[in-house]
Amino acid sequence: MPKQGSLLAYTVSRLILALPTLLILLTVLFLVLRILPGDPVSALEAGRHRSIRDIAADKARLGLDQPWWIQYPVYLGQVFSGNFGVSLGSLYLGQPVLGVIAQKLPATIELAIGGMIVATIMGVGTGVLGGANRDKLPDVIVRLYGGIIWVIPVFWLGLMLQLVFAVGLHWFPPNLRYAADPVIYPPPTHITGLYTLDSLLEGSLDKFAISIDHLFLPSLTLGLVVSGFFTRTVRANLLRTINSDYVEAARARGVPEPFIVLRYAFRNALIPIVTILGLQFAILFAGAVLTEKTFSWDGMGTLLLNSIDSRDYAMIQGTVVVYAFIIVIISVIIDVINGLIDPRVRY
Amino acid sequence: MTGPLLRVQDLYVHYSTRRGYVRALEGITLDVYPSETLGIVGETGCGKSTLGKAILGILPPRTRVSGQILLAGVELTKLRREEYRMIRGKDIALIFQDPMTRLNPLMTIEDHFIEEIQSHENVSKNMARERAREALVSMGIHESRIKNYPHEFSGGMRQRIMIAMALVLKPSLLIADEPTTSLDVIVESQILEVFHDLKRGYKMSLLLITHNMGTVAEVCDRVAVLYAGRLVEIGSVKQVFHKPLHPYTQGLLASIIHLETKELHSIEGSPPDLISPPEGCHFHPRCQFAQPICVEKDPPLEEFEPGHFAACHFGDKFL
């Protein structure tokens, strides 16, 4: 057993605690998908006039004729063995759900990370600017920014950015993940599925530039909308710590002001900020749905929308379960980062 | 007697608030001599803590400050920002009332010490660490605990750490702002013992801000009494305790519980609102001896016997 209070012990305990969280999430998903009216088979059969016997046969094939206490353990077993069944929708009919998701997931991860980088730079930058200049002009502008940017609808901002930077100025491509001459610049070989990373692994800076070009506007859209919330969080927390007793005491000891802002105010403000930023990152995955639609970004969001359209229950369930896993993983990462910053939470 | 180490002259401090300016200090003049302990007493909100922060120049922004603060002849309020910073911690150190919240929870004790020493002196990390160790041990904290975080110490230990930090650069003036108020009585007596040792060991001046008259009698050479932002009486502990000239001081001394009678006097009423203080003597609404002149005229600080000053129109009546 590692020493109590060590980062390793803390991380292990967080991982163990994540399991019940995951189980609860999966159970809720199971219930929601089954309690809702309608079921995959009747949704598929709608308007196809097939015999009741055929329908019953389909239900039996999918295990839907079983009571929930039989279905539930089967469902859990499938989830943990990575078997999500095959697609029932017209788009990917018969293809394994997990295979399709594996194709789409990297695009969304790339977009979410891009959005997160934009949101962090903008949010922390403006938040610190406002917090350090309380009630002066920069702070007023920052507060205005934080308030306005986060009520702007994602798709509207996306359209405006497309209009200005793609259609008007031609600085960036208007949509898609990778649009270039397939002979000269074919998409990078699939290694991780992240185009930016893959092109670097391949050693092609040109392909990297193309990937970044395409990634820029969607990331900016997603990041800017989320950054308003970051701005307000960072500013409020910085104001709280900059007026704290330990900051006053550090001033009394003659600690230089830059150290006070960095080591005292900012580091302490970071603790709640990391938690909130992490949770936002999880929400960002979901928020990417609209951004993906706006930029024809072929990721999980688009997949989810298409699956809902074609009533592809297997795919919907697979997608949502993957989202649940991502959220749980992110929250573990947040906990570990907080443990790194704050010695008090390691116990 | 040699010249004073610290001279505060006509110090005004007005805090800016939404309701208007709070007149926290109104024309304070006092001296602190080398290796002397001066007690500053008064009720909560009389400006005691403000005085300590004003001397260090760490009042919040937009606070109006006027008057002179001289340390060994140097006018502090005229110093440039960086010069003033070098004085803080090095020449004047401040110990706060609440040790629980005064340390950065994310830094070890060692980090605090090294940061402070390196903020003022060009020494290596190892040298700084060595001095930190010595300072801690001298305050009775085991050196093995130097890498611990603040939350791993008790309140009394943290206050001893704060004192060790205040002393590590050997300042000529130590300001202790109610250093024992938030601690239990046993720890309090330990801390007071530390101050006794300090007076003997270091040649350091101590400005002890407190509301505890017992502490003053035990530790201080001279005592200054503050009421509603004004200095109402100052003199040697003997003079002030035996012959209090200001009715407020008399009231304070009467408020100490008597062992024989178990009686506890208190001063009627409460301190005035410092945004709009009363005319004339600020104490007149609560003073049992108040006369018409007390409402009209603000009494100046007068010397009634050598070294014993009071701001009362009738000070000579109490001699």
Side-chain angles (χ1 to χ4, degrees), chain A residues 245 248 253-254 263-264 268, chain B residues 85 101-102 104 115 120:
Chain A
D245 286 353
E248 191 182 49
R253 287 196 299 274
R263 283 183 203 157
Y264 289 74
N268 276 288
Chain B
R85 177 186 76 71
T101 58
R102 293 294 177 177
N104 185 346
E115 178 188 70
H120 295 283

Side-chain angles (χ1 to χ4, degrees), chain A residues 6-340:
Chain A
S6 78
L7 198 62
L8 183 68
Y10 171 72
T11 309
V12 169
S13 75
R14 286 290 112 180
L15 275 172
I16 294 169
L17 282 174
L19 282 174
T21 315
L22 192 61
L23 206 62
I24 291 169
L25 259 176
L26 290 173
T27 307
V28 170
L29 290 181
F30 172 84
L31 291 175
V32 167
L33 284 173
R34 273 154 190 80
I35 286 171
L36 286 181
D39 62 76
V41 175
S42 11
L44 279 178
E45 304 302 323
R48 280 210 257 157
H49 306 292
R50 288 175 67 199
S51 72
I52 290 176
R53 187 181 303 175
D54 283 348
I55 292 176
D58 273 348
K59 280 194 172 179
R61 187 168 52 81
L62 292 169
L64 292 171
D65 56 341
Q66 304 288 334
W68 67 268
W69 60 85
I70 308 274
Q71 285 191 38
Y72 182 63
V74 170
Y75 156 83
L76 282 185
Q78 284 174 341
V79 165
F80 282 106
S81 63
N83 172 18
F84 289 74
V86 294
S87 169
L88 308 170
S90 48
L91 219 53
Y92 304 102
L93 192 65
Q95 290 187 39
V97 165
L98 210 58
V100 177
I101 290 175
Q103 279 174 31
K104 310 291 179 184
L105 187 59
T108 297
I109 291 179
E110 212 165 31
L111 178 59
I113 291 177
M116 195 65 188
I117 292 172
V118 172
T120 307
I121 293 174
M122 282 306 290
V124 173
T126 53
V128 170
L129 188 71
N133 297 290
R134 185 178 195 174
D135 294 338
K136 293 182 197 149
L137 187 66
D139 186 33
V140 174
I141 296 171
V142 160
R143 265 151 52 191
L144 218 60
Y145 169 81
I148 290 172
I149 196 76
W150 103 308
V151 295
I152 291 180
V154 182
F155 51 86
W156 184 84
L157 184 65
L159 281 174
M160 289 302 119
L161 291 176
Q162 280 174 331
L163 213 59
V164 175
F165 294 104
V167 180
L169 295 166
H170 294 290
W171 288 359
F172 298 99
N175 57 9
L176 298 177
R177 274 187 83 192
Y178 194 96
D181 191 320
V183 183
I184 312 171
Y185 295 119
T189 345
H190 187 100
I191 304 168
T192 60
L194 307 171
Y195 281 2
T196 44
L197 193 60
D198 283 353
S199 48
L200 283 181
L201 289 174
E202 207 181 285
S204 167
L205 283 179
D206 291 336
K207 289 182 184 177
F208 179 70
I210 294 170
S211 313
I212 289 285
D213 247 16
H214 284 81
L215 186 59
F216 189 80
L217 283 187
S219 300
L220 191 67
T221 307
L222 191 56
L224 281 182
V225 171
V226 178
S227 76
F229 186 65
F230 285 16
T231 301
R232 295 153 73 103
T233 310
V234 171
R235 179 183 172 275
N237 279 294
L238 203 62
L239 283 180
R240 181 177 56 80
T241 53
I242 221 153
N243 289 314
S244 67
D245 286 353
Y246 46 79
V247 162
E248 191 182 49
R251 286 215 175 95
R253 287 196 299 274
V255 176
E257 201 63 20
F259 288 167
I260 291 179
V261 172
L262 214 69
R263 283 183 203 157
Y264 289 74
F266 189 62
R267 264 193 82 189
N268 276 288
L270 219 53
I271 302 164
I273 291 172
V274 166
T275 307
I276 292 165
L277 258 61
L279 292 174
Q280 279 292 316
F281 188 49
I283 295 168
L284 211 100
F285 267 92
V289 173
L290 284 174
T291 314
E292 285 187 14
K293 192 83 189 160
T294 312
F295 287 91
S296 318
W297 196 260
D298 193 14
M300 292 276 284
T302 310
L303 178 64
L304 185 59
L305 284 180
N306 289 338
S307 311
I308 293 169
D309 266 354
S310 59
R311 295 192 185 77
D312 186 347
Y313 271 69
M315 192 65 84
I316 296 172
Q317 176 173 294
T319 316
V320 178
V321 165
V322 169
Y323 273 131
F325 268 94
I326 291 173
I327 286 173
V328 170
I329 290 168
I330 290 173
S331 63
V332 171
I333 294 174
I334 299 167
D335 284 346
V336 173
I337 293 177
N338 263 336
L340 270 174

